[in-house]
Amino acid sequence: MATNAATIELQTGDEARETTAISPARLIGRRFLRNKLAIAGGVLLILLYLSALFADFIAPIPYTDVHEDYVFVPPQLPRFLDEQGNFHLRPFVYGLDSALDMDTFRFVYSEIHEAKYPIKFFVEGYEYKLFGLIPFNRHLYGVDEPGVFYLLGSDDLGHDMVARVFMGARISLTIGLVGVILTIIFGATLGTISGFYGGGLDTMIQRVIEFLMSFPAIPLWAALAAAMPPNWSPLQRFFAISVILSLIEWTGLARQVRAKVLSFREMEYTLAARAAGASDARIIFRHMLPNAFSHIIVVATLAIPGMILAETALSFLGLGIQPPQTSWGALLKQAQLVSVLLQQPWLLIPAFFVIAAVLTFNFVGDGLRDAVDPYSL
């Protein structure tokens, strides 16, 4: 039975349906949308970045505020039932009373049932700049003074862990993106040059890559981070760490792009372009990189979790982000003692955010890899 050449048949399970010819980008999008795990990871990833973007709005108090009277406060869960069993439509928390434990020399907190503090939403608080531009003083939640509400507890200086976690997300999540952008620039450029021109230039680039890959990652990162001047601003330190993290990561991408370009170099369309008098730059930017772009995007997506873990490791070792700035790795540095974990287990909460970010990036990366691979099921 004759069919229109402008139609293709898409098979989904046992059903087949006809549709008009679509571009490869739309085909990749449809294949990606069929991966439920990748979609769930993408949604969670968007939520993580939105929470980092609106960290000041979510945080009830500034993440740098020190409260010596509320050190190591356990997480306070919102309540709807009071001690008498009465139900309250608006959630509330009790006031806190502290006492010094003479055995452990730590503060022990007890609830003051006579003092109830309703949790209010979209309350006024400290002023900040929304998106770094718009003066704003509204926050997601809060309680009236003298009440306090530490949803995720507090640390050794009385910092609110909610504020610290979401402000730390700005550093940890952004440093992965910046590091991967630099990785793509270094890896795609040098990998393409190495595979396209070959010869002595290829040999030199490959020896440099092997030299960098021979170093253990953590000692090299630690040495480079320790060499940074201590008087650098947080912004300078941030970009320096991004460059440090990308110094090693670009080597793997360069090797993979080189292999792709070596195969593209012998393709008919490349030989035809060369025979037609196309310049090297046109062949590279018109034929080589566009064909390798889908692979580069997938590799970059899967490399972001490694960047996040590397920044976490550097900050955990005290060589990354320094106070008063914070990141997930800097927060986990407080939880490295067994005694702290036994008595203040809520300090491990940033680890769950690291795990969530790494898993979501991996899910999205796997979904993209399957979507761009025409032979995947």
Side-chain angles (χ1 to χ4, degrees), residues 347-361:
L347 295 182
L348 271 179
I349 289 175
F352 295 101
F353 284 86
V354 174
I355 294 171
V358 170
L359 285 178
T360 52
F361 270 114

Side-chain angles (χ1 to χ4, degrees), residues 122-184:
F122 304 105
V123 298
E124 292 187 2
Y126 71 93
E127 188 170 307
Y128 60 94
K129 289 189 176 181
L130 192 64
F131 309 120
L133 300 171
I134 307 170
F136 208 64
N137 66 348
R138 290 286 174 177
H139 300 272
L140 179 60
Y141 67 92
V143 296
D144 293 331
E145 295 182 353
V148 293
F149 181 31
Y150 290 102
L151 182 61
L152 298 181
S154 66
D155 61 11
D156 57 341
L157 294 176
H159 293 136
D160 180 34
M161 287 297 292
V162 169
R164 303 287 283 181
V165 166
F166 288 109
M167 291 301 293
R170 287 185 173 180
I171 297 292
S172 295
L173 292 177
T174 308
I175 210 167
L177 292 179
V178 175
V180 164
I181 290 172
L182 294 175
T183 297
I184 291 175

Side-chain angles (χ1 to χ4, degrees), residues 128-354:
Y128 60 94
K129 289 189 176 181
L130 192 64
F131 309 120
L133 300 171
I134 307 170
F136 208 64
N137 66 348
R138 290 286 174 177
H139 300 272
L140 179 60
Y141 67 92
V143 296
D144 293 331
E145 295 182 353
V148 293
F149 181 31
Y150 290 102
L151 182 61
L152 298 181
S154 66
D155 61 11
D156 57 341
L157 294 176
H159 293 136
D160 180 34
M161 287 297 292
V162 169
R164 303 287 283 181
V165 166
F166 288 109
M167 291 301 293
R170 287 185 173 180
I171 297 292
S172 295
L173 292 177
T174 308
I175 210 167
L177 292 179
V178 175
V180 164
I181 290 172
L182 294 175
T183 297
I184 291 175
I185 293 174
F186 296 150
T189 302
L190 293 177
T192 302
I193 293 173
S194 179
F196 185 79
Y197 290 103
L201 185 60
D202 178 32
T203 301
M204 182 182 68
I205 293 176
Q206 295 308 307
R207 297 297 82 78
V208 171
I209 290 175
E210 292 168 359
F211 177 75
L212 290 175
M213 294 180 70
S214 66
F215 280 98
I218 294 296
L220 178 61
W221 288 335
L224 293 173
M228 288 188 292
N231 58 345
W232 274 8
S233 67
L235 185 62
Q236 290 175 311
R237 197 172 186 88
F238 171 83
F239 282 105
I241 292 175
S242 300
V243 173
I244 290 170
L245 295 180
S246 62
L247 280 177
I248 296 297
E249 296 295 332
W250 72 268
T251 55
L253 179 61
R255 280 283 179 89
Q256 297 178 54
V257 172
R258 173 182 177 269
K260 290 281 185 181
V261 171
L262 284 174
S263 63
F264 296 154
R265 193 172 62 178
E266 306 302 326
M267 292 291 184
E268 290 82 358
Y269 57 81
T270 304
L271 298 177
R274 193 183 297 276
S279 64
D280 290 349
R282 179 173 176 80
I283 294 175
I284 290 174
F285 290 104
R286 179 67 178 172
H287 300 288
M288 298 292 186
L289 285 179
N291 282 295
F293 190 68
S294 60
H295 180 77
I296 293 172
I297 292 298
V298 172
V299 172
T301 305
L302 294 173
I304 292 176
M307 294 283 186
I308 294 174
L309 292 175
E311 182 279 324
T312 301
L314 280 177
S315 297
F316 180 80
L317 295 172
L319 298 169
I321 302 301
Q322 300 295 322
Q325 299 298 312
T326 187
S327 69
W328 287 341
L331 292 175
L332 288 174
K333 184 181 179 182
Q334 302 177 10
Q336 60 183 319
L337 299 177
V338 176
S339 59
V340 173
L341 293 181
L342 292 176
Q343 297 178 10
Q344 294 89 27
W346 59 88
L347 295 182
L348 271 179
I349 289 175
F352 295 101
F353 284 86
V354 174

Side-chain angles (χ1 to χ4, degrees), residues 36 59 71 79 96 111 116 118 120 149 155 176 206 317-318:
K36 304 303 182 185
V71 173
R79 294 175 176 268
L96 292 180
E111 295 178 338
K116 297 186 183 71
K120 300 179 180 180
F149 181 31
D155 61 11
Q206 295 308 307
L317 295 172

